[in-house]
Amino acid sequence: MSEEISQTEPKVAMVIMAHPDDAEFGCAGTIAAWARDGWEIHYVICSDGSGGGSDDAREVGLEARRKISDTRKQEQREAAQVLGARDVVFLDFPDGRLEPTLDLRREIVRVLRRYRPTRVICQSPERTWTPVMAIPRHHPDHLAAGQATLFAIYPASQNPWDFPELLEEGLEPHRVREVYISGAPFLNHVVDISDTIDLKIEALAQHASQHLDFAQTEERIRGWTAANGAKHGLAHAEEYHLTLN
């Protein structure tokens, strides 16, 4: 059914994530595969990335946070370029303090109506409790970005009565047809990334400020995607909850 919808709709996809590097961890192989298949892909990053860096960091002043924000934004642009994405939009909400507010929902609706994607990848608004490391997987910003995105997709983006001020900007209602939710408690869709796993790793490597030991990160990611793939007879895979709108 997903392929049937995609054949009749514009090949425009959007990836909406809380932080720089979230997409590379969760769905970069999918992004690269879609780009190779001719999809125009736009990134939307909800936070300013200023809460990143080493857990041992001691620089917490405004200037230090501005510096890491600028660094992480540039790393995200470079990672998106590796994968073949068209551009990156930063909504610049404070990192670590993201909430599913009406302001965040409005900004997501704004980009949905501007770029008019057929597909959206977003984060799950719900925790999973397996595997054992499930709690660290779900930063509160991730949950907030997932909830705000799903509420923006339905009903706000397609409803002219939601945020009528956007109509005054010339942004007409838009219906997203396919939603791929990463990290959801229930997974029902797999994307074969066997041919794009190396691009996923290359894109993730662009986030140098976040990796003190990238070899360890690469080993972990390859192991994770291989385990996903093994469940479906594939070398490497990324899994989602796919829902149609």
Side-chain angles (χ1 to χ4, degrees), residues 68-108:
I68 190 62
S69 176
D70 291 344
T71 296
R72 296 198 71 194
K73 286 179 179 180
Q74 184 57 32
E75 290 172 344
Q76 182 62 89
R77 294 185 186 99
E78 291 168 359
Q81 186 174 25
V82 166
L83 299 172
R86 176 71 60 89
D87 58 8
V88 184
V89 176
F90 296 97
L91 301 185
D92 277 338
F93 285 81
D95 194 343
R97 290 182 280 168
L98 204 64
E99 296 286 348
T101 61
L102 283 174
D103 286 341
L104 176 58
R105 192 188 309 176
R106 180 188 300 108
E107 292 308 307
I108 295 173

mmCIF file of all heavy atoms in Angstrom, residues 68-108:
data_model
loop_
_atom_site.group_PDB
_atom_site.id
_atom_site.type_symbol
_atom_site.label_atom_id
_atom_site.label_comp_id
_atom_site.label_asym_id
_atom_site.label_seq_id
_atom_site.Cartn_x
_atom_site.Cartn_y
_atom_site.Cartn_z
ATOM 1 N N ILE A 68 29.086 25.231 20.527
ATOM 2 C CA ILE A 68 28.721 23.845 20.235
ATOM 3 C C ILE A 68 27.496 23.790 19.335
ATOM 4 O O ILE A 68 27.373 22.915 18.475
ATOM 5 C CB ILE A 68 28.504 23.027 21.530
ATOM 6 C CG1 ILE A 68 28.368 21.523 21.200
ATOM 7 C CG2 ILE A 68 27.262 23.476 22.280
ATOM 8 C CD1 ILE A 68 29.588 20.907 20.559
ATOM 9 N N SER A 69 26.582 24.745 19.472
ATOM 10 C CA SER A 69 25.422 24.792 18.589
ATOM 11 C C SER A 69 25.860 25.003 17.143
ATOM 12 O O SER A 69 25.409 24.290 16.238
ATOM 13 C CB SER A 69 24.481 25.924 19.024
ATOM 14 O OG SER A 69 23.398 26.042 18.117
ATOM 15 N N ASP A 70 26.756 25.947 16.918
ATOM 16 C CA ASP A 70 27.245 26.213 15.563
ATOM 17 C C ASP A 70 27.967 24.988 14.999
ATOM 18 O O ASP A 70 27.796 24.641 13.823
ATOM 19 C CB ASP A 70 28.197 27.412 15.566
ATOM 20 C CG ASP A 70 27.491 28.726 15.858
ATOM 21 O OD1 ASP A 70 26.244 28.768 15.755
ATOM 22 O OD2 ASP A 70 28.184 29.702 16.196
ATOM 23 N N THR A 71 28.756 24.330 15.850
ATOM 24 C CA THR A 71 29.493 23.145 15.415
ATOM 25 C C THR A 71 28.537 22.032 15.017
ATOM 26 O O THR A 71 28.679 21.402 13.959
ATOM 27 C CB THR A 71 30.422 22.648 16.537
ATOM 28 O OG1 THR A 71 31.400 23.644 16.814
ATOM 29 C CG2 THR A 71 31.109 21.342 16.146
ATOM 30 N N ARG A 72 27.549 21.790 15.849
ATOM 31 C CA ARG A 72 26.624 20.677 15.589
ATOM 32 C C ARG A 72 25.753 20.955 14.362
ATOM 33 O O ARG A 72 25.418 20.024 13.609
ATOM 34 C CB ARG A 72 25.759 20.411 16.816
ATOM 35 C CG ARG A 72 26.560 19.957 18.026
ATOM 36 C CD ARG A 72 25.678 19.288 19.048
ATOM 37 N NE ARG A 72 25.238 17.973 18.572
ATOM 38 C CZ ARG A 72 24.258 17.281 19.132
ATOM 39 N NH1 ARG A 72 23.586 17.771 20.158
ATOM 40 N NH2 ARG A 72 23.917 16.092 18.661
ATOM 41 N N LYS A 73 25.394 22.203 14.140
ATOM 42 C CA LYS A 73 24.616 22.519 12.945
ATOM 43 C C LYS A 73 25.434 22.247 11.681
ATOM 44 O O LYS A 73 24.917 21.696 10.697
ATOM 45 C CB LYS A 73 24.165 23.978 12.988
ATOM 46 C CG LYS A 73 23.052 24.244 13.978
ATOM 47 C CD LYS A 73 22.678 25.726 13.988
ATOM 48 C CE LYS A 73 21.535 25.989 14.961
ATOM 49 N NZ LYS A 73 21.161 27.420 14.986
ATOM 50 N N GLN A 74 26.713 22.630 11.709
ATOM 51 C CA GLN A 74 27.559 22.381 10.545
ATOM 52 C C GLN A 74 27.767 20.896 10.336
ATOM 53 O O GLN A 74 27.735 20.400 9.197
ATOM 54 C CB GLN A 74 28.908 23.077 10.705
ATOM 55 C CG GLN A 74 29.814 22.951 9.494
ATOM 56 C CD GLN A 74 29.183 23.468 8.207
ATOM 57 O OE1 GLN A 74 28.379 24.404 8.222
ATOM 58 N NE2 GLN A 74 29.523 22.867 7.079
ATOM 59 N N GLU A 75 27.958 20.151 11.432
ATOM 60 C CA GLU A 75 28.079 18.703 11.312
ATOM 61 C C GLU A 75 26.818 18.092 10.709
ATOM 62 O O GLU A 75 26.899 17.181 9.875
ATOM 63 C CB GLU A 75 28.352 18.097 12.687
ATOM 64 C CG GLU A 75 29.745 18.403 13.234
ATOM 65 C CD GLU A 75 29.931 17.955 14.671
ATOM 66 O OE1 GLU A 75 28.914 17.677 15.353
ATOM 67 O OE2 GLU A 75 31.098 17.884 15.123
ATOM 68 N N GLN A 76 25.655 18.605 11.106
ATOM 69 C CA GLN A 76 24.405 18.068 10.566
ATOM 70 C C GLN A 76 24.266 18.361 9.079
ATOM 71 O O GLN A 76 23.815 17.504 8.305
ATOM 72 C CB GLN A 76 23.209 18.633 11.323
ATOM 73 C CG GLN A 76 21.869 18.089 10.864
ATOM 74 C CD GLN A 76 21.756 16.592 11.059
ATOM 75 O OE1 GLN A 76 21.326 16.130 12.107
ATOM 76 N NE2 GLN A 76 22.140 15.814 10.053
ATOM 77 N N ARG A 77 24.662 19.541 8.661
ATOM 78 C CA ARG A 77 24.612 19.869 7.228
ATOM 79 C C ARG A 77 25.510 18.922 6.432
ATOM 80 O O ARG A 77 25.151 18.453 5.352
ATOM 81 C CB ARG A 77 25.027 21.319 6.997
ATOM 82 C CG ARG A 77 24.070 22.360 7.579
ATOM 83 C CD ARG A 77 24.496 23.763 7.203
ATOM 84 N NE ARG A 77 23.676 24.764 7.864
ATOM 85 C CZ ARG A 77 24.041 25.425 8.980
ATOM 86 N NH1 ARG A 77 25.238 25.179 9.522
ATOM 87 N NH2 ARG A 77 23.242 26.309 9.522
ATOM 88 N N GLU A 78 26.697 18.648 6.970
ATOM 89 C CA GLU A 78 27.640 17.775 6.276
ATOM 90 C C GLU A 78 27.115 16.342 6.231
ATOM 91 O O GLU A 78 27.257 15.650 5.213
ATOM 92 C CB GLU A 78 29.009 17.851 6.956
ATOM 93 C CG GLU A 78 29.683 19.202 6.770
ATOM 94 C CD GLU A 78 30.895 19.401 7.661
ATOM 95 O OE1 GLU A 78 31.220 18.497 8.459
ATOM 96 O OE2 GLU A 78 31.532 20.475 7.563
ATOM 97 N N ALA A 79 26.505 15.895 7.319
ATOM 98 C CA ALA A 79 25.942 14.543 7.342
ATOM 99 C C ALA A 79 24.797 14.414 6.342
ATOM 100 O O ALA A 79 24.694 13.408 5.618
ATOM 101 C CB ALA A 79 25.448 14.206 8.748
ATOM 102 N N ALA A 80 23.931 15.411 6.288
ATOM 103 C CA ALA A 80 22.809 15.390 5.344
ATOM 104 C C ALA A 80 23.314 15.360 3.906
ATOM 105 O O ALA A 80 22.739 14.679 3.046
ATOM 106 C CB ALA A 80 21.910 16.604 5.580
ATOM 107 N N GLN A 81 24.398 16.077 3.651
ATOM 108 C CA GLN A 81 24.969 16.092 2.309
ATOM 109 C C GLN A 81 25.495 14.709 1.922
ATOM 110 O O GLN A 81 25.324 14.264 0.781
ATOM 111 C CB GLN A 81 26.101 17.121 2.231
ATOM 112 C CG GLN A 81 26.673 17.313 0.845
ATOM 113 C CD GLN A 81 27.682 18.450 0.792
ATOM 114 O OE1 GLN A 81 28.301 18.802 1.793
ATOM 115 N NE2 GLN A 81 27.850 19.037 -0.376
ATOM 116 N N VAL A 82 26.129 14.023 2.873
ATOM 117 C CA VAL A 82 26.618 12.668 2.614
ATOM 118 C C VAL A 82 25.476 11.766 2.156
ATOM 119 O O VAL A 82 25.629 10.951 1.242
ATOM 120 C CB VAL A 82 27.281 12.087 3.881
ATOM 121 C CG1 VAL A 82 27.495 10.576 3.743
ATOM 122 C CG2 VAL A 82 28.612 12.778 4.159
ATOM 123 N N LEU A 83 24.319 11.923 2.770
ATOM 124 C CA LEU A 83 23.183 11.043 2.500
ATOM 125 C C LEU A 83 22.394 11.433 1.259
ATOM 126 O O LEU A 83 21.562 10.659 0.787
ATOM 127 C CB LEU A 83 22.245 11.030 3.705
ATOM 128 C CG LEU A 83 22.866 10.513 5.004
ATOM 129 C CD1 LEU A 83 21.915 10.729 6.171
ATOM 130 C CD2 LEU A 83 23.255 9.046 4.879
ATOM 131 N N GLY A 84 22.638 12.639 0.750
ATOM 132 C CA GLY A 84 21.918 13.090 -0.438
ATOM 133 C C GLY A 84 20.692 13.917 -0.149
ATOM 134 O O GLY A 84 19.855 14.120 -1.038
ATOM 135 N N ALA A 85 20.555 14.405 1.095
ATOM 136 C CA ALA A 85 19.412 15.263 1.443
ATOM 137 C C ALA A 85 19.574 16.633 0.794
ATOM 138 O O ALA A 85 20.686 17.096 0.535
ATOM 139 C CB ALA A 85 19.293 15.404 2.953
ATOM 140 N N ARG A 86 18.448 17.293 0.573
ATOM 141 C CA ARG A 86 18.440 18.575 -0.135
ATOM 142 C C ARG A 86 18.907 19.719 0.776
ATOM 143 O O ARG A 86 19.704 20.561 0.368
ATOM 144 C CB ARG A 86 17.029 18.864 -0.657
ATOM 145 C CG ARG A 86 16.860 20.217 -1.344
ATOM 146 C CD ARG A 86 17.557 20.257 -2.685
ATOM 147 N NE ARG A 86 17.041 19.252 -3.605
ATOM 148 C CZ ARG A 86 16.003 19.455 -4.431
ATOM 149 N NH1 ARG A 86 15.346 20.608 -4.422
ATOM 150 N NH2 ARG A 86 15.616 18.502 -5.269
ATOM 151 N N ASP A 87 18.365 19.776 2.016
ATOM 152 C CA ASP A 87 18.713 20.879 2.902
ATOM 153 C C ASP A 87 18.380 20.521 4.344
ATOM 154 O O ASP A 87 17.826 19.457 4.621
ATOM 155 C CB ASP A 87 18.006 22.178 2.489
ATOM 156 C CG ASP A 87 16.486 22.056 2.466
ATOM 157 O OD1 ASP A 87 15.962 21.023 2.918
ATOM 158 O OD2 ASP A 87 15.819 23.001 2.011
ATOM 159 N N VAL A 88 18.751 21.425 5.273
ATOM 160 C CA VAL A 88 18.489 21.248 6.693
ATOM 161 C C VAL A 88 17.875 22.530 7.232
ATOM 162 O O VAL A 88 18.425 23.616 7.040
ATOM 163 C CB VAL A 88 19.767 20.926 7.487
ATOM 164 C CG1 VAL A 88 19.428 20.654 8.958
ATOM 165 C CG2 VAL A 88 20.508 19.746 6.884
ATOM 166 N N VAL A 89 16.725 22.406 7.903
ATOM 167 C CA VAL A 89 16.053 23.537 8.547
ATOM 168 C C VAL A 89 16.196 23.360 10.056
ATOM 169 O O VAL A 89 15.880 22.289 10.593
ATOM 170 C CB VAL A 89 14.561 23.585 8.169
ATOM 171 C CG1 VAL A 89 13.847 24.709 8.917
ATOM 172 C CG2 VAL A 89 14.403 23.733 6.661
ATOM 173 N N PHE A 90 16.668 24.391 10.741
ATOM 174 C CA PHE A 90 16.785 24.359 12.198
ATOM 175 C C PHE A 90 15.711 25.253 12.804
ATOM 176 O O PHE A 90 15.634 26.443 12.495
ATOM 177 C CB PHE A 90 18.169 24.852 12.637
ATOM 178 C CG PHE A 90 19.299 23.966 12.177
ATOM 179 C CD1 PHE A 90 20.012 24.277 11.022
ATOM 180 C CD2 PHE A 90 19.637 22.828 12.888
ATOM 181 C CE1 PHE A 90 21.046 23.464 10.577
ATOM 182 C CE2 PHE A 90 20.672 22.003 12.444
ATOM 183 C CZ PHE A 90 21.377 22.317 11.293
ATOM 184 N N LEU A 91 14.877 24.669 13.663
ATOM 185 C CA LEU A 91 13.828 25.453 14.314
ATOM 186 C C LEU A 91 14.346 26.202 15.533
ATOM 187 O O LEU A 91 13.703 27.140 16.005
ATOM 188 C CB LEU A 91 12.665 24.534 14.709
ATOM 189 C CG LEU A 91 11.998 23.777 13.559
ATOM 190 C CD1 LEU A 91 10.788 22.993 14.064
ATOM 191 C CD2 LEU A 91 11.597 24.718 12.418
ATOM 192 N N ASP A 92 15.496 25.777 16.073
ATOM 193 C CA ASP A 92 16.235 26.521 17.103
ATOM 194 C C ASP A 92 15.534 26.645 18.452
ATOM 195 O O ASP A 92 15.750 27.627 19.171
ATOM 196 C CB ASP A 92 16.633 27.913 16.593
ATOM 197 C CG ASP A 92 17.914 27.882 15.776
ATOM 198 O OD1 ASP A 92 18.700 26.932 15.951
ATOM 199 O OD2 ASP A 92 18.126 28.804 14.965
ATOM 200 N N PHE A 93 14.735 25.655 18.821
ATOM 201 C CA PHE A 93 14.233 25.626 20.187
ATOM 202 C C PHE A 93 15.369 25.175 21.107
ATOM 203 O O PHE A 93 16.253 24.430 20.689
ATOM 204 C CB PHE A 93 13.033 24.677 20.290
ATOM 205 C CG PHE A 93 11.773 25.237 19.696
ATOM 206 C CD1 PHE A 93 11.550 25.182 18.322
ATOM 207 C CD2 PHE A 93 10.815 25.829 20.509
ATOM 208 C CE1 PHE A 93 10.390 25.701 17.772
ATOM 209 C CE2 PHE A 93 9.647 26.356 19.963
ATOM 210 C CZ PHE A 93 9.437 26.302 18.593
ATOM 211 N N PRO A 94 15.389 25.602 22.365
ATOM 212 C CA PRO A 94 16.515 25.289 23.255
ATOM 213 C C PRO A 94 16.688 23.787 23.461
ATOM 214 O O PRO A 94 15.739 23.084 23.822
ATOM 215 C CB PRO A 94 16.147 25.988 24.572
ATOM 216 C CG PRO A 94 15.206 27.085 24.174
ATOM 217 C CD PRO A 94 14.432 26.535 23.008
ATOM 218 N N ASP A 95 17.888 23.316 23.227
ATOM 219 C CA ASP A 95 18.226 21.908 23.421
ATOM 220 C C ASP A 95 18.073 21.541 24.888
ATOM 221 O O ASP A 95 18.485 22.275 25.777
ATOM 222 C CB ASP A 95 19.674 21.689 22.975
ATOM 223 C CG ASP A 95 20.034 20.226 22.806
ATOM 224 O OD1 ASP A 95 19.305 19.366 23.330
ATOM 225 O OD2 ASP A 95 21.061 19.960 22.160
ATOM 226 N N GLY A 96 17.453 20.386 25.141
ATOM 227 C CA GLY A 96 17.256 19.923 26.501
ATOM 228 C C GLY A 96 15.996 20.443 27.152
ATOM 229 O O GLY A 96 15.635 19.995 28.247
ATOM 230 N N ARG A 97 15.316 21.362 26.472
ATOM 231 C CA ARG A 97 14.091 21.938 27.029
ATOM 232 C C ARG A 97 12.937 21.885 26.041
ATOM 233 O O ARG A 97 11.988 22.656 26.111
ATOM 234 C CB ARG A 97 14.350 23.382 27.466
ATOM 235 C CG ARG A 97 15.252 23.500 28.686
ATOM 236 C CD ARG A 97 15.422 24.953 29.102
ATOM 237 N NE ARG A 97 16.414 25.621 28.276
ATOM 238 C CZ ARG A 97 16.606 26.942 28.262
ATOM 239 N NH1 ARG A 97 15.827 27.726 28.994
ATOM 240 N NH2 ARG A 97 17.540 27.473 27.506
ATOM 241 N N LEU A 98 13.043 20.960 25.090
ATOM 242 C CA LEU A 98 12.003 20.843 24.072
ATOM 243 C C LEU A 98 10.717 20.301 24.693
ATOM 244 O O LEU A 98 10.742 19.335 25.459
ATOM 245 C CB LEU A 98 12.480 19.905 22.970
ATOM 246 C CG LEU A 98 11.841 20.058 21.586
ATOM 247 C CD1 LEU A 98 12.169 21.422 20.996
ATOM 248 C CD2 LEU A 98 12.356 18.949 20.670
ATOM 249 N N GLU A 99 9.611 20.940 24.385
ATOM 250 C CA GLU A 99 8.295 20.510 24.847
ATOM 251 C C GLU A 99 7.338 20.526 23.653
ATOM 252 O O GLU A 99 7.499 21.318 22.733
ATOM 253 C CB GLU A 99 7.759 21.448 25.940
ATOM 254 C CG GLU A 99 8.578 21.463 27.224
ATOM 255 C CD GLU A 99 8.390 20.215 28.057
ATOM 256 O OE1 GLU A 99 7.452 19.437 27.755
ATOM 257 O OE2 GLU A 99 9.167 20.007 29.000
ATOM 258 N N PRO A 100 6.314 19.652 23.670
ATOM 259 C CA PRO A 100 5.368 19.614 22.546
ATOM 260 C C PRO A 100 4.339 20.743 22.628
ATOM 261 O O PRO A 100 3.132 20.520 22.741
ATOM 262 C CB PRO A 100 4.720 18.235 22.702
ATOM 263 C CG PRO A 100 4.779 17.959 24.163
ATOM 264 C CD PRO A 100 6.073 18.575 24.650
ATOM 265 N N THR A 101 4.837 21.957 22.578
ATOM 266 C CA THR A 101 3.998 23.141 22.728
ATOM 267 C C THR A 101 3.301 23.488 21.418
ATOM 268 O O THR A 101 3.659 22.994 20.339
ATOM 269 C CB THR A 101 4.852 24.333 23.156
ATOM 270 O OG1 THR A 101 5.841 24.580 22.127
ATOM 271 C CG2 THR A 101 5.562 24.066 24.479
ATOM 272 N N LEU A 102 2.351 24.402 21.511
ATOM 273 C CA LEU A 102 1.703 24.900 20.297
ATOM 274 C C LEU A 102 2.696 25.639 19.415
ATOM 275 O O LEU A 102 2.591 25.594 18.181
ATOM 276 C CB LEU A 102 0.533 25.818 20.669
ATOM 277 C CG LEU A 102 -0.742 25.116 21.136
ATOM 278 C CD1 LEU A 102 -1.757 26.155 21.602
ATOM 279 C CD2 LEU A 102 -1.344 24.252 20.031
ATOM 280 N N ASP A 103 3.671 26.326 20.022
ATOM 281 C CA ASP A 103 4.676 27.030 19.222
ATOM 282 C C ASP A 103 5.491 26.049 18.381
ATOM 283 O O ASP A 103 5.739 26.302 17.196
ATOM 284 C CB ASP A 103 5.610 27.833 20.127
ATOM 285 C CG ASP A 103 4.958 29.091 20.691
ATOM 286 O OD1 ASP A 103 3.932 29.525 20.117
ATOM 287 O OD2 ASP A 103 5.469 29.628 21.686
ATOM 288 N N LEU A 104 5.926 24.945 18.996
ATOM 289 C CA LEU A 104 6.678 23.947 18.235
ATOM 290 C C LEU A 104 5.790 23.318 17.170
ATOM 291 O O LEU A 104 6.212 23.135 16.023
ATOM 292 C CB LEU A 104 7.223 22.870 19.179
ATOM 293 C CG LEU A 104 7.958 21.705 18.508
ATOM 294 C CD1 LEU A 104 9.135 22.192 17.679
ATOM 295 C CD2 LEU A 104 8.423 20.691 19.561
ATOM 296 N N ARG A 105 4.555 23.000 17.522
ATOM 297 C CA ARG A 105 3.649 22.408 16.536
ATOM 298 C C ARG A 105 3.446 23.347 15.356
ATOM 299 O O ARG A 105 3.458 22.911 14.195
ATOM 300 C CB ARG A 105 2.296 22.095 17.182
ATOM 301 C CG ARG A 105 1.398 21.233 16.313
ATOM 302 C CD ARG A 105 0.002 21.102 16.881
ATOM 303 N NE ARG A 105 -0.011 20.698 18.289
ATOM 304 C CZ ARG A 105 -1.103 20.601 19.021
ATOM 305 N NH1 ARG A 105 -2.296 20.865 18.477
ATOM 306 N NH2 ARG A 105 -1.041 20.232 20.280
ATOM 307 N N ARG A 106 3.279 24.643 15.629
ATOM 308 C CA ARG A 106 3.085 25.617 14.550
ATOM 309 C C ARG A 106 4.295 25.638 13.609
ATOM 310 O O ARG A 106 4.132 25.682 12.371
ATOM 311 C CB ARG A 106 2.868 27.006 15.125
ATOM 312 C CG ARG A 106 2.652 28.085 14.031
ATOM 313 C CD ARG A 106 2.642 29.481 14.606
ATOM 314 N NE ARG A 106 1.577 29.664 15.584
ATOM 315 C CZ ARG A 106 1.783 29.766 16.910
ATOM 316 N NH1 ARG A 106 3.019 29.686 17.400
ATOM 317 N NH2 ARG A 106 0.775 29.947 17.726
ATOM 318 N N GLU A 107 5.503 25.610 14.174
ATOM 319 C CA GLU A 107 6.697 25.661 13.333
ATOM 320 C C GLU A 107 6.814 24.408 12.468
ATOM 321 O O GLU A 107 7.254 24.480 11.312
ATOM 322 C CB GLU A 107 7.946 25.834 14.194
ATOM 323 C CG GLU A 107 8.040 27.186 14.880
ATOM 324 C CD GLU A 107 7.861 28.338 13.906
ATOM 325 O OE1 GLU A 107 8.578 28.370 12.877
ATOM 326 O OE2 GLU A 107 6.988 29.199 14.140
ATOM 327 N N ILE A 108 6.424 23.264 13.010
ATOM 328 C CA ILE A 108 6.457 22.042 12.211
ATOM 329 C C ILE A 108 5.387 22.081 11.124
ATOM 330 O O ILE A 108 5.636 21.695 9.976
ATOM 331 C CB ILE A 108 6.295 20.807 13.110
ATOM 332 C CG1 ILE A 108 7.499 20.696 14.061
ATOM 333 C CG2 ILE A 108 6.176 19.532 12.269
ATOM 334 C CD1 ILE A 108 7.364 19.615 15.103
#
